[in-house]
Every structure is written in structure tokens, then in C-alpha cells.
Amino acid sequence: MENFQKNETLRMETFSDGVFAIDITLLTFQLKAPSLKVATSNYNLGHALLQQWPNYIAYFISFTTIFIIWLNHHRMYNVIRRSDARFMFYNGLLLLLVSIVPFTTSLIADYLNTPAHELSAAIYMLLFAGISGTLLRMWIYATHNYQLLKRPAVDVRIVSIRTSLLISTVTYTVVAGLSFLVPFLSFLVGLVMVVYLARLKYHRDKVV
Amino acid sequence: MENFQKNETLRMETFSDGVFAIDITLLTFQLKAPSLKVATSNYNLGHALLQQWPNYIAYFISFTTIFIIWLNHHRMYNVIRRSDARFMFYNGLLLLLVSIVPFTTSLIADYLNTPAHELSAAIYMLLFAGISGTLLRMWIYATHNYQLLKRPAVDVRIVSIRTSLLISTVTYTVVAGLSFLVPFLSFLVGLVMVVYLARLKYHRDKVV
Amino acid sequence: MENFQKNETLRMETFSDGVFAIDITLLTFQLKAPSLKVATSNYNLGHALLQQWPNYIAYFISFTTIFIIWLNHHRMYNVIRRSDARFMFYNGLLLLLVSIVPFTTSLIADYLNTPAHELSAAIYMLLFAGISGTLLRMWIYATHNYQLLKRPAVDVRIVSIRTSLLISTVTYTVVAGLSFLVPFLSFLVGLVMVVYLARLKYHRDKVV
Amino acid sequence: MENFQKNETLRMETFSDGVFAIDITLLTFQLKAPSLKVATSNYNLGHALLQQWPNYIAYFISFTTIFIIWLNHHRMYNVIRRSDARFMFYNGLLLLLVSIVPFTTSLIADYLNTPAHELSAAIYMLLFAGISGTLLRMWIYATHNYQLLKRPAVDVRIVSIRTSLLISTVTYTVVAGLSFLVPFLSFLVGLVMVVYLARLKYHRDKVV
């Protein structure tokens, strides 16, 4: 039975990896060759490409954020022995939210130069808040009474990870609200959070 | 030879997982940033986003349904020792049907606000009936004379799974017909079936 | 060193599986919800859906053909011990050709109702001929002097597989030419070849 | 701990493989059925298809280049024992750059027949320079003090690989500049570099 559950956990992890890999690659559709109608020169094309800068920034932030979320997801699975029905439900919710990132990315890129950029930035941040919050929920559930842990609890940074994921969730949420006041704050915080989330360590061993 | 077949079964399972993961992610294309022609305000964008609600519901139901079908597919493979040519044929049919889900999803989302929503809902439900029916066919074939079972037959819930898959297949089919009478019934039943199919257990062990 | 090569072969096989799975799923884009401009009824939508029949047939043939090619690819790898640089080159060529299938599929679906259906059918068949021919080339190379075989040569159906792949390659090529004379022959032969290629056995063991 | 890091390295490798496989397959969207408005003949369609030749060349070069980069990536991982945080960062950067290839490919294909082909060719080459340069950076970091090597350093072609990747990076960069002077040089060099990069051997064993 124990073996069975390991198998289940592994397959869920592999399936999740596949969804992460596809989502991160689908962001590519965000980048489109500009469709110039007049006969173009190098100058015209260069100008049109530069005007697409919101797409490049949105692409960069979304790509790095999904990458970092994947990293955290797989570090979490590294300290988890088995999953149960409820944990798989949370995991499915995480995949559903990550799969929406290409949508909010195109939203923020399309409307960055319009008066509606505030709402699109708020939605963009809110989705990241939801993703971060789901990771937090998974962590609290897995470490509660150490029920799903693989490694000895003393090796696992239970509290510090909980605090870190709480901080990132709150930050994303607050910035979503602030998007209506401070333009571009969402981009800046999005980049900072990538660095922040990249550094989380789930256990005490000195591994990546 | 036994080893060989295990290898075959494993590869088919991995390949199927890949197709499931890609299909579930391709649903993302269902969600598109609204293309507003006039200079927009937050209010305009919010309004346009809210009007896309059929897309969100269709996305949610299709995502969770494919996820649950994947879960059932992989629970079934957990109790199966080997596959043969005919089982692989059924599996290929399952993948073909699952790959059509993004199509019927866009159909129901595009036509939900039109008088043609009845037909699109019927097609949507009918495809799920076909998928559920193929799972049922695979189960009947695999458990017939216990020919493809890995675990001792007494451990496997042969009859209860057969009944459950029969119920879900019939329900989807009936609701497909009722779509012409009761609008939105398909959405409601689609959600209920996700919960129902998520709870199926293929063997007696207390695992996920 | 031997271990190393096994590893190489395995990774190439996994990578190929990924490309096959993605290609087969990208065919989904062939199926699009009809874009009706007038307020529609169930009848209108049903009519528009029926008019898309070339898409459904093309989708079905392409899906089953890629599935069968994947099956043959992986049966071939089952009897191969290791790959070398040249075999990997052939494998890369196979992936390149398979990745073009979504393109020729949309070509034949878009032009089936036009006078240009002959050319599109010819191109469709010609690509399958190229894919089948590449599989044949891989087989001839791998079995030449038994250099890449894993199993004892006597267990491997070297000659019969070579003959079968030669037959399928020639058939696809001939039908490509006949497309200009006999309309729809390509669809018919495409379906027949799926059944034919599904039955090839690469070794004498009674496995799938 | 050592086991743990192997696990990390393996998962990063698998995730990277997924991204490579998806990127190489997404290039397919580069190939579109021409949309002819008038009732067409075989001749019209053939003519329209031939006029898309820049798409075919760009598709071919991008496909083979990503394939060769994947090959080099995985040969590099074959001689690496473990990865650390910084190596994973470089790997993430590599994936980000490879994911942009479909964008620059559509850029060069769309503008090849326009006066802007020079700029698009320069950007196309520059991205390949960035990818090759990132591989070089990964190699320098991994082999510095032999810190990340799996195999005995004497078995690894540390210097010759460094030189080769330096040559390819410089070549791509120089050709990016020359694109403004010599049209089509980028296509020619792109093809030559595929052959050049396909031949790199990362260790002394006679394996693929």
C-alpha cells in the first residue's frame, strides 16, 4: 500500500510537471510578429517591435514566475511522502490557476497602454496571489501533524516556509489593490517576488 | 515477455499522460483577452470580461472533467497488469475523444448566449458520455475473466466500478437529450459528475 | 559505456514520445467552432457543423496515423539496444516530418471542397510516404549486420517488417500520384494503412 | 543528500526536455495553409504554397537548431553530477531563450520578402548567439574547478567544448551584424552551425 501511494504521488508530480512545462511554453504565443501593412524598412520593423515592450515584460515576468512556482512545487514534493485525496484536490486547483496565467498575461500586455491597465494589473497580481495562496494551503495541510511528510519533521523548515508563502500571498494581494493607485508597481513587485520565491528552502540540507 | 509487456503498458500510460496534460492545458486558448476597439477604461474592460462568463464556466467544467478522467484512467492502470492490442485500441479511442474536448468547449462557450446553446450543450454532454463509455468499455474488457488484472481479483472493485461508470455514461447521455428542454442543466450535471467521478475507488486499499 | 548508450537511447525515446504526444494533440486546432455572424438556431449551428465534415475526417485520419506511427516507433525501439549518431539523425528527421502533419491536415481540410483538393491530397499522402520511408530507413540501418539490435537477431522479424514498411511507403507514394485521378482515394487508403500499420509485429514474442 | 541532488538534477533535466519538445513542436504554427479567397485550382494552391518558401526554410533551420541545442544540453547533463542554484538559474535562462525561437522564426519568415529582412535576420541570429552563449556559460561554470562534474575530469573534453561553444557564439553574433550587408548569410550560417553543433562530443567515450 505504501508503495502504491508513492506511485500515485510520483505520477501526480509527473503530470503536474507536464502541465507546468506546457503552460510556460504557451506563453510564447504572447510574442507575435507585428503585422505591418505597408512595405517596411528595418526602421519601421524595429519601431513596431519596440512598441511591443509590454508584451516582452509581461512574458518575462510570467515565464519566471511559473518557473519559480514549479521550483517550489517540486521542492515541496521532495519533502512529502505521500498525498491523499484532499492534497490532490489542492494540487489540481494549483494546476488550474497556473493554466490561467497565459490569459492574464495577454490581458496585461494588451491593455498596458490603455486606461484599463489598472484593472488588468490587479487581475494579474490577484492570480499570482491565488497561486501562492494555494501553495500555502498545500503546505499547511501537508505539515499539519506532519501527516504527509517524508523526512523527519525536524529536517523540514515547516514554519519558515509557511511564513514565506504567507508573505508572498499577502504581498501579491496588496499590490493587486495598489494597482489602481501606483501604475507599474505590479511589474516591479512581480520581479521582486520571483527572486524572493526562488530562494525558499524546504529542508535543512544544503541542496538546491 | 512479461517484462516486455509491463514496459509496453508503462509507455502507453506515459504517452496517455502526455496527451491528457496537453489537452488540459490547451483549454487555456478558450480564455482570450477581449479585443476592445475603443479606448477603454477599467469599467469597460471589467464589463467585457464579465460578459465572457460562459467561457469561464466552460473552461472550469472541461478542465476539472479532463482532470478527473485522467485520475480514473490512471487508477485503472494501477490495477492492470498488462495491456493487449484491443485494450490499446480502446485507449487510443479514449485519447482521441479527450482531444476533442477543447473543440466542444469552445462550441458551448461561443453559443451559450445564442438560441443554438441547446445543440452545443447536447454535443458537449455527448462527448463526455463517449469518454465515460470508453472508460467503461476498457474496464469491462480488462476485468472480463480477470484477464488483464495485476492485483488479485478479490482486491479489485470490479462490479462497483462497472456500475459507477455505467451510471455516469447514462447520465451524460440523458442530459445530452434533456439539453433541448432544460437550459443550463448540462453545466450543473457536468459539475456534479466531476465530484461523482472523483470519488471512484478501483481497489479496496485505502489509498487515494 | 554500454550504460551510457542505453541512457542516450532512452532519452531520445522519451523526447520523441513528447513530440508525438504534442503533435497528435495540436491536431485539435483543426477543429474550430464555426463563426456564425447571424443570430443562430440549433438548425443553423448543426448545419454549419455538418459542413465542416472534411475537418473531422482529416482530423480522424491524421490522429490515428500519428498514433500508429508512434506505436511502430516504439515497437522498433523495443528491439533496439543502442542508437548511434546516424540513427539519431534519422530519428530527428522522423520527428520533423511528423511535426508537419498538422500543416498538411489543415491543407487537405481547407481545400477539400475546392478544385485544389487533388494537390492537397497528394501532399497529404506524400508526407505519410516520407514518414513511412524514414521508418523503413531506420529499420534497414538498425538491422544491417544486426548492429543496433538488442534481442537475438533470430527473434526479430527483420525481413517481414522491412517488406511491410516498404509496402506502406510505396502505397502512400502511389496514392499521392493517383490523387489527381481518383478523388477521395487518399482518405480511403489513409484509413486502410492505419489498420495495416497497427498490425506490424517487430519480434516473435506474442506481445502487443 | 547526494541522492537528493541527483533527483533535483534529473527533474530539472526532465522539465527542460519537456520545454524543448513543446517549443520544437510549436514551430508547426509557422506553417499555415494559405487562405485563398477565390475558388482555387491545383495551380493556384501550388503557387501559393511555393510563395511560402521563407516559412519552410525558417521552420527547417529553427527545428534543427532547437534539436541540436537539446542534444548538446543533454550531453552536457550526461557529464554533470549535480546542479546548484546558480546552474539552475542558467538553465532557466536557456529555456527562456529557447522559448523565444518560435517568435523570431515567425519574424524572419514574415519579413524575408520585405526590406526589413535584414533586421529580422539579425534578431534571429542574435537569439541563437544568446542560446549558444548560455550553453557556454553553463559549461564554464560546471567545469570550473570540476565542481559539478560526474565523470573524472580527465574523461571530459573540458577545453575543446569550451572552444567550440565559444566559436559558435561568436559566429552567430558576427553573422547577426553581417545580416545588414549580406542577405541570406544568416540562413546559410544557421544551417552550417547545426552540423557543427551536432558533432560536439562532451567526453572521450565513443558514444553518441
Side-chain angles (χ1 to χ4, degrees):
Chain A
M1 191 189 112
E2 195 61 7
N3 253 343
F4 230 64
Q5 289 189 327
K6 251 195 227 160
N7 187 13
E8 289 264 338
T9 310
L10 187 70
R11 263 201 76 181
M12 180 50 97
E13 204 181 344
T14 313
F15 185 77
S16 307
D17 273 15
V19 173
F20 275 111
I22 302 162
D23 274 320
I24 212 171
T25 323
L26 288 188
L27 291 171
T28 308
F29 288 103
Q30 205 45 44
L31 306 173
K32 290 195 196 88
S35 55
L36 298 179
K37 271 139 201 168
V38 292
T40 52
S41 64
N42 289 329
Y43 177 80
N44 282 349
L45 178 59
H47 189 248
L49 284 171
L50 287 181
Q51 279 196 314
Q52 293 189 345
W53 65 267
N55 290 61
Y56 309 139
I57 298 185
Y59 174 76
F60 183 76
I61 296 181
S62 297
F63 191 100
T64 48
T65 303
I66 294 185
F67 187 76
I68 285 325
I69 296 295
W70 169 76
L71 216 58
N72 275 276
H73 178 266
H74 121 73
R75 283 174 187 165
M76 194 181 287
Y77 267 82
N78 257 345
V79 296
I80 286 170
R81 184 175 37 112
R82 56 184 190 85
S83 55
D84 60 11
R86 196 149 161 213
F87 195 75
M88 285 183 88
F89 166 80
Y90 290 137
N91 194 68
L93 179 64
L94 183 76
L95 296 184
L96 190 147
L97 293 177
V98 169
S99 294
I100 300 175
V101 173
F103 168 57
T104 59
T105 306
S106 74
L107 208 61
I108 200 172
D110 285 7
Y111 288 94
L112 197 71
N113 283 325
T114 77
H117 70 89
E118 298 164 359
L119 180 62
S120 63
I123 295 173
Y124 191 59
M125 283 290 110
L126 220 50
L127 179 61
F128 287 157
I131 291 172
S132 170
T134 307
L135 272 180
L136 173 63
R137 194 72 200 78
M138 289 171 83
W139 187 244
I140 290 175
Y141 182 71
T143 58
H144 183 249
N145 288 332
Y146 322 117
Q147 53 182 348
L148 303 180
L149 289 184
K150 177 166 57 182
R151 329 195 100 220
V154 72
D155 281 359
V156 180
R157 299 166 171 267
I158 297 181
V159 179
S160 81
I161 288 294
R162 200 167 57 204
T163 313
S164 299
L165 289 175
L166 186 62
I167 290 174
S168 66
T169 307
V170 169
T171 308
Y172 279 131
T173 312
V174 169
V175 173
L178 290 179
S179 294
F180 293 95
L181 302 176
V182 194
F184 299 111
L185 183 65
S186 58
F187 275 172
L188 189 68
V189 174
L191 288 170
V192 171
M193 293 315 290
V194 165
V195 178
Y196 180 74
L197 288 169
R199 304 179 86 88
L200 303 191
K201 283 182 178 51
Y202 285 72
H203 48 82
R204 294 184 204 288
D205 279 345
K206 278 187 197 114
V207 296
V208 181
Chain B
M1 190 188 111
E2 196 60 6
N3 252 342
F4 230 63
Q5 287 188 328
K6 251 194 228 161
N7 187 13
E8 290 264 337
T9 310
L10 188 70
R11 265 201 73 179
M12 180 50 98
E13 204 181 344
T14 313
F15 185 76
S16 307
D17 274 15
V19 173
F20 275 110
I22 302 162
D23 273 320
I24 213 171
T25 323
L26 287 188
L27 291 171
T28 308
F29 288 104
Q30 205 46 44
L31 306 173
K32 289 195 196 87
S35 55
L36 298 178
K37 270 139 201 166
V38 293
T40 52
S41 64
N42 288 329
Y43 177 80
N44 282 349
L45 178 58
H47 189 249
L49 284 171
L50 286 181
Q51 279 196 314
Q52 293 189 346
W53 65 268
N55 290 62
Y56 309 140
I57 299 184
Y59 174 76
F60 183 77
I61 297 180
S62 297
F63 190 101
T64 47
T65 304
I66 294 186
F67 187 75
I68 284 328
I69 296 295
W70 169 77
L71 216 58
N72 275 275
H73 178 265
H74 120 74
R75 284 173 186 165
M76 194 181 285
Y77 267 82
N78 257 345
V79 297
I80 284 171
R81 186 175 35 112
R82 57 183 190 85
S83 55
D84 60 10
R86 197 151 159 210
F87 195 75
M88 285 183 88
F89 166 79
Y90 290 137
N91 194 68
L93 179 64
L94 184 76
L95 296 183
L96 191 148
L97 293 177
V98 169
S99 294
I100 299 175
V101 173
F103 169 58
T104 59
T105 306
S106 74
L107 207 62
I108 200 171
D110 284 7
Y111 288 93
L112 197 70
N113 284 324
T114 76
H117 71 88
E118 299 164 0
L119 180 62
S120 63
I123 294 173
Y124 190 59
M125 283 291 111
L126 220 51
L127 179 61
F128 287 158
I131 290 171
S132 171
T134 307
L135 273 181
L136 173 62
R137 194 74 201 76
M138 288 171 82
W139 186 246
I140 290 175
Y141 182 71
T143 58
H144 182 249
N145 288 332
Y146 323 116
Q147 52 182 352
L148 303 181
L149 289 183
K150 177 166 58 182
R151 329 193 101 221
V154 73
D155 282 359
V156 181
R157 300 166 171 266
I158 297 181
V159 178
S160 80
I161 287 294
R162 199 168 56 205
T163 313
S164 301
L165 289 175
L166 185 63
I167 289 174
S168 65
T169 307
V170 169
T171 308
Y172 279 132
T173 313
V174 168
V175 173
L178 290 178
S179 295
F180 293 95
L181 302 176
V182 193
F184 299 111
L185 183 66
S186 57
F187 274 172
L188 188 68
V189 174
L191 288 171
V192 170
M193 294 314 290
V194 165
V195 178
Y196 181 73
L197 287 170
R199 304 180 85 87
L200 303 190
K201 283 181 178 53
Y202 284 73
H203 48 83
R204 294 184 204 287
D205 279 344
K206 278 186 197 115
V207 297
V208 181
Chain C
M1 189 188 112
E2 197 60 8
N3 253 343
F4 229 64
Q5 288 189 328
K6 252 194 226 161
N7 188 12
E8 290 263 338
T9 309
L10 188 70
R11 266 202 71 179
M12 180 50 99
E13 205 181 344
T14 313
F15 185 77
S16 306
D17 273 15
V19 173
F20 275 110
I22 302 162
D23 274 321
I24 212 171
T25 322
L26 288 189
L27 291 170
T28 308
F29 288 104
Q30 205 46 43
L31 306 173
K32 290 196 196 85
S35 54
L36 299 178
K37 270 139 201 166
V38 294
T40 52
S41 63
N42 289 329
Y43 178 81
N44 282 348
L45 178 58
H47 189 248
L49 284 171
L50 287 180
Q51 278 196 315
Q52 293 189 347
W53 64 269
N55 289 62
Y56 309 140
I57 300 185
Y59 174 76
F60 183 77
I61 297 181
S62 296
F63 191 100
T64 48
T65 304
I66 294 185
F67 187 75
I68 285 327
I69 295 295
W70 169 76
L71 216 58
N72 275 275
H73 178 265
H74 120 72
R75 284 173 186 167
M76 193 181 286
Y77 266 82
N78 257 345
V79 296
I80 285 171
R81 183 173 38 110
R82 56 183 189 84
S83 57
D84 60 10
R86 201 154 156 204
F87 195 75
M88 286 184 87
F89 166 80
Y90 290 136
N91 194 67
L93 179 63
L94 184 76
L95 296 183
L96 192 148
L97 293 177
V98 169
S99 294
I100 299 176
V101 172
F103 169 58
T104 59
T105 306
S106 73
L107 207 60
I108 200 170
D110 284 7
Y111 288 94
L112 198 70
N113 284 326
T114 76
H117 71 89
E118 300 164 0
L119 181 61
S120 64
I123 294 173
Y124 191 58
M125 284 290 112
L126 219 50
L127 179 60
F128 288 158
I131 291 172
S132 170
T134 307
L135 272 181
L136 172 63
R137 194 71 200 77
M138 288 170 83
W139 187 246
I140 291 176
Y141 182 71
T143 57
H144 183 249
N145 289 331
Y146 323 116
Q147 52 183 350
L148 303 181
L149 290 182
K150 176 166 57 182
R151 328 194 100 220
V154 72
D155 282 359
V156 181
R157 300 167 172 265
I158 297 181
V159 179
S160 81
I161 287 295
R162 200 168 56 204
T163 311
S164 300
L165 289 175
L166 186 62
I167 290 174
S168 67
T169 307
V170 169
T171 309
Y172 279 131
T173 312
V174 169
V175 172
L178 290 178
S179 295
F180 293 96
L181 301 176
V182 193
F184 300 111
L185 183 65
S186 57
F187 274 173
L188 188 69
V189 173
L191 289 170
V192 171
M193 294 314 291
V194 165
V195 179
Y196 181 73
L197 288 170
R199 304 180 85 87
L200 301 192
K201 282 182 179 52
Y202 284 74
H203 48 83
R204 294 182 205 289
D205 280 344
K206 277 188 198 114
V207 297
V208 180
Chain D
M1 189 187 112
E2 196 59 9
N3 254 344
F4 230 65
Q5 289 189 327
K6 252 195 225 159
N7 187 12
E8 289 263 339
T9 309
L10 188 69
R11 265 202 73 180
M12 180 50 98
E13 205 181 342
T14 313
F15 185 77
S16 307
D17 273 15
V19 173
F20 275 110
I22 302 162
D23 273 321
I24 214 171
T25 323
L26 288 188
L27 291 171
T28 309
F29 288 103
Q30 205 46 45
L31 306 173
K32 290 195 196 88
S35 54
L36 298 178
K37 271 141 202 167
V38 294
T40 52
S41 63
N42 289 329
Y43 178 80
N44 282 350
L45 179 58
H47 189 248
L49 285 171
L50 287 180
Q51 277 196 316
Q52 293 188 345
W53 64 268
N55 290 60
Y56 309 139
I57 300 185
Y59 175 76
F60 182 77
I61 296 181
S62 297
F63 191 100
T64 48
T65 303
I66 293 185
F67 187 74
I68 285 325
I69 296 294
W70 169 76
L71 216 58
N72 275 275
H73 179 265
H74 120 73
R75 283 173 186 166
M76 194 182 286
Y77 266 83
N78 257 345
V79 296
I80 284 171
R81 184 174 38 113
R82 56 183 190 87
S83 57
D84 60 11
R86 198 151 159 208
F87 195 75
M88 286 183 88
F89 165 79
Y90 291 137
N91 194 67
L93 179 63
L94 184 75
L95 296 183
L96 191 147
L97 293 177
V98 170
S99 293
I100 300 175
V101 172
F103 170 56
T104 59
T105 306
S106 73
L107 208 61
I108 201 171
D110 284 7
Y111 288 93
L112 198 70
N113 284 325
T114 77
H117 71 88
E118 298 164 359
L119 181 62
S120 63
I123 294 173
Y124 190 58
M125 284 290 110
L126 220 50
L127 179 61
F128 288 158
I131 290 171
S132 170
T134 306
L135 272 181
L136 173 62
R137 194 71 198 78
M138 288 170 83
W139 186 245
I140 291 176
Y141 182 70
T143 58
H144 183 249
N145 288 332
Y146 323 117
Q147 53 182 351
L148 303 180
L149 290 182
K150 176 166 58 183
R151 329 194 100 220
V154 72
D155 281 359
V156 181
R157 299 167 172 266
I158 296 180
V159 179
S160 81
I161 287 295
R162 199 167 58 203
T163 311
S164 300
L165 289 175
L166 186 62
I167 289 174
S168 66
T169 307
V170 169
T171 308
Y172 279 131
T173 313
V174 168
V175 173
L178 289 179
S179 295
F180 293 95
L181 302 175
V182 194
F184 300 110
L185 183 65
S186 57
F187 275 174
L188 188 68
V189 174
L191 289 170
V192 171
M193 293 315 290
V194 166
V195 178
Y196 180 74
L197 288 169
R199 305 181 85 88
L200 302 191
K201 283 181 179 55
Y202 284 72
H203 48 82
R204 294 183 204 289
D205 279 344
K206 278 189 197 113
V207 296
V208 181

